[in-house]
Amino acid sequence: MIDINESVMQVLLAFVVVGPLLGAVAALLPAPPGLKGKSPEQAVLRHGVTVTGVILIAAIVLALGFDHDHPSKMQATTDISWIPALDVRIHLGIDGISLPLLVLTALLTFLCALYSYFKMPTGPSPKAFVALILVLESGTLATFAVLDLILFFLAFETVLIPMYFLIARWGGAQRTQAAWKFILFTLLGSVVMLLGLLLIGIKAGTFDMVALATDNGRSLTTSVQVIAVLAVGIGLAVKTPMWPLHSWLPDAHTAAPTVGSVLLAGVMLKMGTYGFVRILLPIAPDGMHTFAPYLAAFAVVGIIYGSLACLALAKQGAKGDLKRLIAYSSVGHMGFVLLGISTMTPTGVNGALFANIAHGLITGLLFFLVGALKDRTGTTDLDTLAEETGAALYGKAPRLGGLLAFAAVASLGLPGLAGFWGEMLALFGAFKPAADLSRPAFLTFMAIAAFGTLLTAAYMLAVVRRVCMGAVAQEAPKLADVQTYEFAAWTPLVALTVAAGLWPKALLGLTDPAVQQLLAGGTR
């Protein structure tokens, strides 16, 4: 790690949050003639790679300059009065909880920009596409960096419009319906969430998340906390997505372009679970205690429901769409995250945060691979992939087939890979939940969730068998194996999936002290 002055850290964090917005504005401007390259379209795509690359470098430097000896302390903080009448402040900062999500967002956005430079999705001008990607990045990064409830809401909402247009303008079949379903579900959830955030701020007398977390709910009555958790929780649950508020997700993923699916699964879903940890657990602990068993129940239903839906899609002879299957798998995986949070224990919450990062890496890789399959075969239909094209990937494109198998076994939680630790810690948290929660109930939830891991293994192995294995049809068209630009975009995700699985302490060492302090009474 490197020693960086606190004022430099403040500037770096502000740049990481605001830089993509400035890049989005620049993307819409005419490129100087000397920078156009072969075409203006190539120039703006190169601009997207450059801006996201600079933001990634800044995020890495921020991580290197982070005081890893005190990860529970808010660092690189900026606190400026913005709307004095409402006591709304431009308050930024990072700790061991938010830093990994910040770096994950910067990494995935850069990889998406790099992938798009070589494989731009079919649609309107690249100018708008790059600008939307950068606005989406800025809103997501801000969500993980702001420490004011009103700013959190604004950042939370900023990502909706770019994702709507990415689906509606660059998506596939039925993209308009999917985009409308996405925006309506998330906006309705956000309206309810705003009411809950306003209730917290008005009753507590401040919107400052650090002050509220340190107060640990002492300035809010139990009834206010219960109402706030219900209202804010609904908005966060829609974005997570929690069963039964998940129905927008499969349609959105199926219709979205490849990079849209990667960003939606890799970072946007994390905004909901992050809100549970950053806002509801420390600010309204009594309200969370009231709803924890119900949250756990919805979580385990989501685990089983998502797994059964995937099994139905993966079944031989079923008309299953591979993108839709991976979308339903996200419902199950995020169920483990919610189960960990609902235990209200350091073990469970650390597991939830670890599972967040693991899901971003693994599912991001899966959507990249499925996008590559669609580019080569023109379809993501499992029957077509397995039969009509003779797409036995091990024989026709061994590197692509090997990567798909790797991502599948990582997703099912194979020990030694990142997917294992988050789910295991969430189950351990349910085995011994917080002292004032019903242990028999959580033991039941743990058993159901553990059964869900078996179902996950079943459908992921079924996908590998149908797509990767079998005889290669002689008349089937040839498939190109992994290209150089694909290798560049996917290698970091593979490497980090292995590194996190073999060395979980690197991530848990950041999150655990921050989680311990958060549950004990806030972040200083």
Side-chain angles (χ1 to χ4, degrees):
M1 303 305 154
I2 56 178
D3 185 20
I4 300 179
N5 185 276
E6 178 67 13
S7 60
V8 176
M9 293 282 284
Q10 292 173 353
V11 173
L12 274 174
L13 182 58
F15 173 72
V16 164
V17 172
V18 178
L21 274 182
L22 301 177
V25 174
L28 297 174
L29 301 175
L35 298 179
K36 287 183 179 179
K38 295 180 180 178
S39 68
E41 288 76 15
Q42 186 192 54
V44 75
L45 290 171
R46 188 190 303 119
H47 170 78
V49 176
T50 303
V51 172
T52 55
V54 170
I55 297 300
L56 175 59
I57 292 171
I60 292 172
V61 173
L62 198 65
L64 292 174
F66 186 81
D67 184 358
H68 289 254
D69 293 329
H70 301 91
S72 61
K73 177 186 175 183
M74 278 296 172
Q75 303 178 35
T77 54
T78 299
D79 192 0
I80 304 169
S81 179
W82 184 37
I83 308 175
L86 297 176
D87 193 29
V88 177
R89 310 183 68 81
I90 298 176
H91 193 180
L92 305 177
I94 52 170
D95 64 356
I97 293 172
S98 52
L99 179 62
L101 290 166
L102 202 78
V103 176
L104 175 69
T105 300
L107 173 64
L108 283 177
T109 311
F110 169 70
L111 296 181
C112 285
L114 180 64
Y115 187 85
S116 299
Y117 179 77
F118 295 95
K119 195 66 182 180
M120 171 71 191
T122 304
S125 164
K127 277 182 173 288
F129 177 81
V130 171
L132 290 169
I133 290 288
L134 292 173
V135 172
L136 180 67
E137 179 182 30
S138 182
T140 310
L141 290 168
T143 301
F144 300 136
V146 298
L147 297 171
D148 182 279
L149 290 179
I150 300 301
L151 276 185
F152 177 86
F153 175 78
L154 294 176
F156 199 85
E157 295 304 287
T158 298
V159 303
L160 301 185
I161 300 304
M163 183 54 71
Y164 167 81
F165 281 109
L166 285 173
I167 297 172
R169 303 301 299 276
W170 286 271
Q174 298 183 329
R175 59 183 181 269
T176 303
Q177 300 93 314
W180 273 110
K181 195 171 185 179
F182 162 77
I183 199 73
L184 288 175
F185 264 77
T186 51
L187 278 179
L188 288 173
S190 296
V191 169
V192 181
M193 183 177 76
L194 176 61
L195 296 177
L197 295 175
L198 291 174
L199 176 64
I200 291 172
I202 291 169
K203 291 295 184 179
T206 181
F207 290 101
D208 187 273
M209 291 161 65
V210 174
L212 288 165
T214 304
D215 182 69
N216 202 218
R218 285 182 285 271
S219 60
L220 301 174
T221 65
T222 300
S223 59
V224 168
Q225 290 189 39
V226 168
I227 295 170
V229 169
L230 180 61
V232 177
I234 287 174
L236 297 175
V238 171
K239 187 69 71 74
T240 295
M242 181 184 78
W243 180 92
L245 303 174
H246 69 285
S247 60
W248 60 270
L249 184 72
D251 292 338
H253 270 309
T254 304
T258 297
V259 295
S261 292
V262 171
L263 292 175
L264 181 58
V267 296
M268 281 187 63
L269 302 189
K270 314 303 176 283
M271 294 164 63
T273 52
Y274 174 79
F276 276 102
V277 175
R278 177 64 73 198
I279 298 174
L280 295 184
L281 275 177
I283 294 176
D286 293 339
M288 275 297 294
H289 172 265
T290 299
F291 283 106
Y294 303 101
L295 180 63
F298 283 124
V300 297
V301 170
I303 291 170
I304 300 301
Y305 172 83
S307 299
L308 291 176
C310 290
L311 271 176
L313 291 170
K315 188 174 65 175
Q316 192 75 33
K319 284 291 182 181
D321 184 280
L322 190 50
K323 285 190 76 174
R324 197 171 189 86
L325 184 149
I326 298 171
Y328 273 113
S329 77
S330 291
V331 177
H333 289 306
M334 299 312 289
F336 280 99
V337 177
L338 292 173
L339 176 62
I341 293 170
S342 69
T343 67
M344 300 183 69
T345 62
T347 301
V349 176
N350 275 303
L353 294 171
F354 199 103
N356 256 346
I357 300 299
H359 180 265
L361 296 171
I362 296 166
T363 308
L365 177 61
L366 277 168
F367 276 117
F368 268 134
L369 293 166
V370 174
L373 273 176
K374 186 173 184 180
D375 292 337
R376 288 158 170 77
T377 64
T379 184
T380 55
D381 179 77
L382 280 167
D383 273 342
T384 306
L385 287 172
E387 296 168 12
E388 293 180 16
T389 64
L393 284 183
Y394 289 155
K396 299 179 66 62
R399 294 183 183 88
L400 187 59
L403 282 171
L404 182 60
F406 169 84
V409 297
S411 183
L412 64 83
L414 184 73
L417 299 176
F420 173 76
W421 295 108
E423 295 181 1
M424 184 60 64
L425 288 171
L427 292 174
F428 281 154
F431 180 75
K432 192 175 181 180
D436 48 358
L437 294 175
S438 170
R439 193 179 183 203
F442 273 84
L443 286 174
T444 303
F445 298 144
M446 182 196 72
I448 296 172
F451 178 67
T453 63
L454 300 178
L455 296 178
T456 303
Y459 70 73
M460 277 300 177
L461 293 176
V463 167
V464 171
R465 180 176 57 81
R466 290 188 67 183
V467 177
C468 297
M469 302 171 70
V472 179
Q474 295 298 320
E475 68 279 6
K478 292 183 178 181
L479 293 181
D481 213 337
V482 178
Q483 305 295 304
T484 303
Y485 72 92
E486 294 172 329
F487 183 80
W490 302 342
T491 297
L493 301 180
V494 174
L496 288 171
T497 298
V498 174
L502 295 178
W503 193 30
K505 183 182 177 181
L507 184 55
L508 294 174
L510 279 174
T511 62
D512 185 53
V515 168
Q516 296 273 2
Q517 185 164 291
L518 203 70
L519 293 175
T523 303
R524 291 186 291 275

